[in-house]
Amino acid sequence: CSTKQYTRPEVKIVPEPAKVVNADGVFVLNEKTPILVNEDNPELKQIAGFLTEQLSDFYGLNTSVDVADSPQKRAIFIGLDKSLNLGKEAYNLSVTPKQIVLKASAPNGLFYGVQTLIQLLPPSRQQLTEAVFPAVEIEDAPRFSWRGMHLDVGRHFMPVDFVKKYIDYIAMNKMNVFHWHLTEDQGWRIEIKKYPKLTEIGSKRKETIIGHAHESKEYDGTPYGGFYTQDEIKDVVAYAKARYVTVVPEIELPGHALAALASYPELGCTGGPYEVATTWGVFDDVYCAGKENTFKFLEDVISEVMPLFPGEYFHIGGDECPKTQWKKCPYCQARMKKEGLKNEHELQSYFVQRIEKFLNEHGKKMIGWDEILEGGLAPNATVMSWRGEEGGIAAAQAHHDAVMTPGNYCYFDHYQADPKTQPLAIGGLTPLKEVYEYEPIPKELSAEEGKYILGAQGNVWTEYMKTPERVEYMVFPRIAALAEVVWSPKASRNYDDFMSRMQDEVKRYDALGINYCKVEFQ
Ligand code: NAG
């Protein structure tokens, strides 16, 4: 059998690693090949487990994980090596005909190395007695630290099983943030024990608009609802942690709050009654900025939410808060007078700064949509720039961190091809190539200011995505383009090369049963 000839498979990794040096030959794995970790600890074994799982699930190859101090011949060695001094998410991978050695200074890097190893194998499911890895030397590390995907579960609720799949998708693209948009006008989706009506009332709407909200007057007459218990949230957060994904919760304030107001009408300026929204858009009724009760409520809610999410960031929304009610509200006007606030933008800023202070006191960093710049930015806030890049530019110039999510490039609720050929979406047009060509550091910024850009994120608003299948369709393959934008070196960006690697990646989507948009792959 030593004379057996193997063809070396091509290396096609998405996102493209920082440095790839191809070599001759292959490493051949069979069921006897040891998969070794250098420490007898559950975390390393779990990381190796993602490889053994893939081997058995895709190719029917049953391998097992053992412990060994150093690399060995005819084995895959996964070694944590702090003395390497690599960045937390970096890894070095060496595949030679003799052995495979994966090393990193932190488990995060090893996890990404395993993702790369998986991509060296055939993209389709097939029964194998041997798996063939191409010989290659890879040194890899991400360009940005915030590589995010957002999911709006307010407009349409997504079941826990799918949320976990979504986290898998984030991880396989070497992304590391899941921004979970948990509250909306159309539904409050997280159990809060102190305020049970938030889910009893706020998680349900009596019906939903049919078709496009701009032109339709027709409703489906069907009650709709759903929420996550705190136990489910913990389960999802643990699932994400094992995949090196940080979950950033978003509790929206002061706007997009109708579901909360329907549950506790005293939190609005007029006292209601309010109804959980049944159509999409921006609504005038928002939290009252004058009443102390509003702050008491929000601090209570935040106090319950914070311990569920161990990550350092807490997203407070902050977008699209009409000032209509505040202008008429005696409580809001009294607050403005007392605090010496010149206008309602400053009142919003007061609101957000109070919440930031509370979060900071509890060890959390606040992040919000770029409207939090209006009326004065909270002292430590990170800005998520969605109305173009201006918010991110302003934040970075003021030496605040920013995450770029400009609509033109990062809104995956936009059409990805000619709308006439596509199922109904909100509007816009953001084809795969456009996402790929996005540059997160705006040219307006100096090199120093550019350092405040933490990364970028794809946003998935679900007004027009009722099911997980639709979410997948809007997300794939655009997530791969964004992953490369935030992971790979700027200089290696090349759309044709990306598309040639994607030919294999979409086979992987097929094997995983992912419902992706095929327009670029026919
Ligand atoms: C904006 C809203 C969002 C909506 C989306 C649709 C942000 C920060 N706010 O109008 O609630 O679902 O765009 O593209 O995006």
Side-chain angles (χ1 to χ4, degrees):
C1 77
S2 61
T3 57
K4 193 163 167 190
Q5 292 294 309
Y6 296 93
T7 1
R8 179 181 177 279
E10 259 185 85
V11 174
K12 290 185 174 179
I13 314 290
V14 180
E16 176 72 359
K19 189 174 171 206
V20 177
V21 179
N22 287 299
D24 287 337
V26 297
F27 178 88
V28 182
L29 168 144
N30 61 32
E31 293 195 331
K32 294 206 188 75
T33 306
I35 296 181
L36 307 170
V37 293
N38 72 333
E39 281 176 21
D40 192 2
N41 83 46
E43 189 171 7
L44 289 200
K45 286 184 172 168
Q46 184 166 277
I47 291 169
F50 288 109
L51 179 61
T52 57
E53 231 173 80
Q54 176 77 11
L55 288 167
S56 75
D57 177 26
F58 263 55
Y59 320 114
L61 283 164
N62 297 312
T63 51
S64 55
V65 178
D66 281 310
V67 181
D69 294 340
S70 53
Q72 289 174 17
K73 280 196 186 142
R74 284 180 290 280
I76 297 182
F77 176 81
I78 298 176
L80 193 60
D81 183 352
K82 298 207 173 77
S83 72
L84 266 178
N85 270 324
L86 296 177
K88 187 174 163 201
E89 298 183 299
Y91 66 92
N92 290 345
L93 175 65
S94 161
V95 180
T96 68
K98 282 200 192 98
Q99 60 185 20
I100 293 182
V101 180
L102 167 61
K103 282 190 175 179
S105 300
N108 308 55
L110 291 178
F111 178 76
Y112 293 131
V114 164
Q115 297 307 310
T116 293
L117 269 176
I118 289 172
Q119 288 198 354
L120 293 176
L121 292 168
S124 307
R125 280 204 169 75
Q126 48 197 286
Q127 286 301 304
L128 297 175
T129 50
E130 293 176 330
V132 179
F133 295 83
V136 66
E137 301 290 325
I138 294 177
E139 285 173 21
D140 203 6
R143 182 174 169 211
F144 290 103
S145 65
W146 187 297
R147 305 183 303 279
M149 284 297 295
H150 148 288
L151 184 63
D152 161 22
V153 296
R155 274 56 177 265
H156 285 104
F157 177 74
M158 297 294 153
V160 167
D161 282 352
F162 179 67
V163 174
K164 288 183 175 173
K165 269 199 199 175
Y166 198 76
I167 288 165
D168 288 336
Y169 300 156
I170 291 173
M172 79 186 217
N173 283 282
K174 298 193 175 87
M175 297 173 99
N176 62 358
V177 174
F178 170 43
H179 171 172
W180 205 358
H181 184 80
L182 287 163
T183 70
E184 256 306 336
D185 296 307
Q186 296 82 6
W188 183 283
R189 305 284 177 225
I190 174 170
E191 174 192 28
I192 302 294
K193 297 196 200 278
K194 198 159 185 181
Y195 297 95
K197 284 193 224 159
L198 286 171
T199 43
E200 276 162 32
I201 295 171
S203 74
K204 299 169 191 152
R205 59 178 180 257
K206 70 170 194 275
E207 57 186 354
T208 305
I209 187 122
I210 297 175
H212 210 289
H214 288 320
E215 45 200 37
S216 168
K217 294 202 165 46
E218 220 189 314
Y219 290 78
D220 66 4
T222 312
Y224 184 92
F227 69 92
Y228 308 101
T229 64
Q230 292 192 2
D231 283 340
E232 287 173 322
I233 299 263
K234 283 182 204 156
D235 179 38
V236 167
V237 169
Y239 189 87
K241 181 166 184 267
R243 288 152 185 82
Y244 302 90
V245 171
T246 304
V247 187
V248 175
E250 179 178 351
I251 302 292
E252 271 254 21
L253 57 92
H256 286 287
L258 263 184
L261 298 190
S263 315
Y264 295 96
E266 63 274 19
L267 301 173
C269 292
T270 64
Y274 306 104
E275 203 182 67
V276 179
T278 56
T279 184
W280 324 122
V282 176
F283 303 90
D284 281 346
D285 289 306
V286 301
Y287 289 114
C288 175
K291 297 177 187 165
E292 263 317 285
N293 259 353
T294 304
F295 294 96
K296 164 92 172 66
F297 166 83
L298 286 169
E299 290 180 5
D300 285 347
V301 167
I302 290 170
S303 297
E304 269 193 47
V305 175
M306 278 185 304
L308 301 171
F309 297 90
E312 58 178 343
Y313 287 95
F314 196 105
H315 202 301
I316 54 87
D319 61 315
E320 299 180 325
C321 177
K323 311 295 185 290
T324 328
Q325 297 293 2
W326 289 2
K327 284 187 179 147
K328 296 187 283 196
C329 169
Y331 301 99
C332 291
Q333 293 304 314
R335 167 87 67 199
M336 284 168 58
K337 214 167 157 197
K338 179 167 167 243
E339 301 290 338
L341 306 170
K342 282 200 291 294
N343 54 38
E344 286 72 18
H345 288 299
E346 290 193 0
L347 181 58
Q348 160 147 335
S349 176
Y350 166 88
F351 198 123
V352 171
Q353 293 200 24
R354 242 181 105 162
I355 299 294
E356 171 171 78
K357 189 160 174 280
F358 184 77
L359 285 167
N360 289 171
E361 279 163 10
H362 292 81
K364 294 285 174 184
K365 285 189 182 170
M366 187 187 78
I367 179 164
W369 302 109
D370 57 52
E371 283 91 334
I372 65 171
L373 283 152
E374 294 163 2
L377 188 54
N380 308 312
T382 299
V383 172
M384 197 166 255
S385 188
W386 73 281
R387 295 174 303 173
E389 299 185 294
E390 289 80 357
I393 294 170
Q397 286 171 342
H399 294 183
H400 279 252
D401 287 339
V403 174
M404 304 305 279
T405 66
N408 286 346
Y409 298 97
C410 296
Y411 268 48
F412 294 171
D413 56 345
H414 289 176
Y415 286 105
Q416 47 200 319
D418 181 355
K420 287 197 277 306
T421 67
Q422 296 295 300
L424 183 70
I426 197 164
L429 180 62
T430 304
L432 183 61
K433 188 161 191 264
E434 200 158 313
V435 178
Y436 191 79
E437 282 166 358
Y438 180 53
E439 170 46 40
I441 301 187
K443 52 183 180 328
E444 288 83 351
L445 298 182
S446 68
E448 199 45 45
E449 291 162 347
K451 291 184 188 148
Y452 290 95
I453 304 296
L454 301 181
Q457 175 178 290
N459 290 340
V460 183
W461 301 102
T462 57
E463 289 96 330
Y464 299 93
M465 301 178 213
K466 279 190 203 301
T467 62
E469 291 69 34
R470 286 287 295 137
V471 170
E472 288 183 357
Y473 183 83
M474 299 306 280
V475 165
F476 287 93
R478 289 186 286 194
I479 186 175
L482 184 63
E484 193 145 312
V485 167
V486 288
W487 180 280
S488 308
K490 189 180 172 186
S492 73
R493 208 103 60 82
N494 177 321
Y495 188 67
D496 291 338
D497 184 68
F498 169 70
M499 285 306 282
S500 90
R501 283 176 283 119
M502 283 302 287
Q503 304 308 319
D504 270 26
E505 187 68 359
V506 296
K507 287 184 200 149
R508 220 163 265 124
Y509 296 169
D510 286 328
L512 293 169
I514 295 171
N515 180 37
Y516 62 99
C517 174
K518 300 192 174 64
V519 283
E520 307 291 344
F521 299 93
Q522 270 144 3

